[in-house]
Amino acid sequence: MAENYRNESMVDVAYSYLKEVNKITKFAELFNAVSERIGLTEEQKEELISTFYTNLSLDGRFVTLGDNEWDLRINQTYDKVHIDMNDVYSDIEEETKANTDLEEYDKEEIEAEGLKDDDSDEDDDDDRSNDYDSSSKLD
């Protein structure tokens, strides 16, 4: 008995398809199977492919395994699909530390990061203003 998929969303049809075939599937194959089940024309396929990809990416039931291969999350182990965010953030920190262009920093950031010597000439004016009214201290 052929099921009527016309009233279902594309991601729901994709879920049904992946559950049925129970294997890792290339995106093109998955999209073509979903399009066929729903009965999309070539024009509709062209209009909907990017929306389908976005919805598939955002739906927590699906997982991409690289090389544009997709599967249901329940079929994959945590180790295979987990991205260690510490690795991502350490790469960002290394890139940030490598950037020593002082024009991109404001004065407080330069001092906090120790990017400039503390005994620079720019700070001398600030030090003198602190000792401006020394007469009141003598009284």
Side-chain angles (χ1 to χ4, degrees):
M1 178 176 128
E3 293 189 40
N4 184 2
Y5 293 104
R6 292 186 188 269
N7 294 325
E8 291 187 44
S9 71
M10 291 180 77
V11 291
D12 287 340
V13 175
Y15 182 82
S16 298
Y17 175 78
L18 287 175
K19 196 161 182 109
E20 181 182 307
V21 298
N22 197 28
K23 68 176 183 140
I24 297 170
T25 307
K26 291 278 190 186
F27 176 77
E29 180 184 339
L30 179 60
F31 180 69
N32 288 332
V34 168
S35 299
E36 184 178 311
R37 288 181 178 204
I38 294 176
L40 298 178
T41 65
E42 288 300 316
E43 292 80 26
Q44 290 172 320
K45 286 172 68 172
E46 287 179 22
E47 290 175 14
L48 295 173
I49 190 168
S50 61
T51 302
F52 175 66
Y53 187 89
T54 300
N55 291 340
L56 198 66
S57 299
L58 296 174
D59 193 310
R61 299 176 292 177
F62 303 94
V63 63
T64 181
L65 302 170
D67 295 329
N68 217 7
E69 294 181 325
W70 292 81
D71 198 6
L72 297 177
R73 184 172 296 279
I74 59 173
N75 294 340
Q76 299 299 316
T77 61
Y78 177 80
D79 295 342
K80 189 162 185 175
V81 297
H82 175 69
I83 298 172
D84 187 2
M85 294 308 290
N86 290 325
D87 294 339
V88 173
Y89 289 125
S90 67
D91 290 345
I92 292 171
E93 287 177 13
E94 289 175 15
E95 290 173 11
T96 303
K97 287 179 184 176
N99 181 6
T100 57
D101 187 0
L102 296 179
E103 293 176 1
E104 293 184 14
Y105 290 92
D106 64 17
K107 184 177 177 182
E108 293 166 354
E109 288 175 321
I110 291 171
E111 291 171 0
E113 294 290 330
L115 298 173
K116 199 169 188 183
D117 292 336
D118 289 336
D119 50 11
S120 67
D121 292 337
E122 291 179 21
D123 294 332
D124 288 346
D125 294 336
D126 292 339
D127 292 339
R128 283 186 223 127
S129 66
N130 291 338
D131 296 333
Y132 178 72
D133 188 15
S134 59
S135 64
S136 62
K137 294 179 186 174
L138 297 174
D139 291 337

